[in-house]
Amino acid sequence: MPTVERVHHPLFARFYQRFAAAAMAKGEDAFRRELLEGVKGRVIEVGAGHGLNFAFYPPEVAEVVAVEPEAVLRRGAEKAAGGAPVPVRVTDGVAGDLPGDSESFDVGVASLVLCSVPDQQTALRELHRVIRPDGELRFYEHVVADTPRFARAQRIADPLWTRCAGACHLARDTAANIAANGFDIERIRRFRFSTSVLDRLASTQILGVARRQ
């Protein structure tokens, strides 16, 4: 039988909510706003966390289906959905088995989640399945560095980081995997952002738009 994907990191989830608040105060809110600029129609957000993106969805969005498997974060998302400017339905689910019919969404959103899914290829194939042809994947992720020394440090630290940070990985080449799983990257920018020495190894980030083939 196939392995059932489960996500249960209550201690990390509580820490993450505090850490995320600090990141938002130091400028991450601007990246999330850029991520969602111009989004419209029906949206599926994978790994919605405690709903940090909800406030930035533009009025042209008809509905957001927000998928979050971690119970502590999902409760936060349900609370945030009540104050969102667009309809948001929060649901339990995992990236490897999304709750949606094939080709039923105009846009998929992945922000700071593809680092922590058990199998990035499976998650991207599921996003490809639920997004309609010519629909969009909006992504904002931290990734492997483009300098060899920094990338080596990420790979060395990755096993310990993954155990401490809710299964997050430091050294995934997410842009390459997006392009390899049925999406054409139309726009991408790479930058560094961190809030303290604690997250310096995750400071190489990408933000962009891909078109579903």
Side-chain angles (χ1 to χ4, degrees):
M1 295 181 63
T3 301
V4 177
E5 184 180 339
R6 298 186 185 280
V7 179
H8 182 65
H9 303 294
L11 293 178
F12 175 74
R14 290 180 173 88
F15 166 79
Y16 176 75
Q17 289 179 81
R18 295 188 179 94
F19 179 83
M24 292 286 280
K26 292 186 177 182
E28 189 179 280
D29 58 334
F31 304 140
R32 294 178 183 272
R33 191 183 303 276
E34 179 182 346
L35 171 73
L36 300 174
E37 184 178 3
V39 167
K40 58 185 178 181
R42 192 163 185 254
V43 178
I44 185 165
E45 181 175 340
V46 180
H50 56 298
L52 290 179
N53 284 335
F54 296 172
F56 305 117
Y57 278 103
E60 292 78 13
V61 169
E63 179 193 25
V64 177
V65 175
V67 181
E68 176 50 55
E70 215 298 316
V72 172
L73 294 176
R74 191 167 61 251
R75 288 195 293 271
E78 289 166 350
K79 182 177 179 180
V86 300
V88 176
R89 175 165 58 89
V90 178
T91 185
D92 190 5
V94 294
D97 186 17
L98 291 175
D101 294 335
S102 297
E103 303 181 0
S104 60
F105 293 93
D106 300 293
V107 181
V109 173
S111 60
L112 302 180
V113 63
L114 294 176
C115 57
S116 59
V117 296
D119 187 325
Q120 201 174 77
Q121 307 287 343
T122 299
L124 287 164
R125 285 195 294 268
E126 271 293 276
L127 279 162
H128 186 274
R129 180 184 68 82
V130 299
I131 297 170
R132 64 169 172 79
D134 205 42
E136 291 183 340
L137 172 62
R138 298 292 184 103
F139 57 91
Y140 165 43
E141 299 287 341
H142 71 81
V143 296
V144 65
D146 53 1
T147 55
R149 182 177 293 182
F150 199 166
R152 182 171 181 270
Q154 289 175 315
R155 293 188 178 100
I156 291 171
D158 195 68
L160 178 60
W161 178 279
T162 301
R163 287 196 294 272
C164 296
C168 171
H169 290 269
L170 288 167
R172 287 181 168 176
D173 191 349
T174 302
N177 286 332
I178 289 171
N181 282 278
F183 294 94
D184 293 323
I185 295 178
E186 293 189 338
R187 183 170 73 247
I188 186 171
R189 70 181 184 95
R190 183 181 291 259
F191 57 94
R192 292 279 182 90
F193 175 75
S194 64
T195 62
S196 70
V197 69
L198 291 176
D199 65 332
R200 192 69 51 81
L201 284 173
S203 63
T204 301
Q205 304 188 355
I206 57 171
L207 194 158
V209 181
R211 184 76 54 183
R212 196 264 206 199
Q213 296 172 3

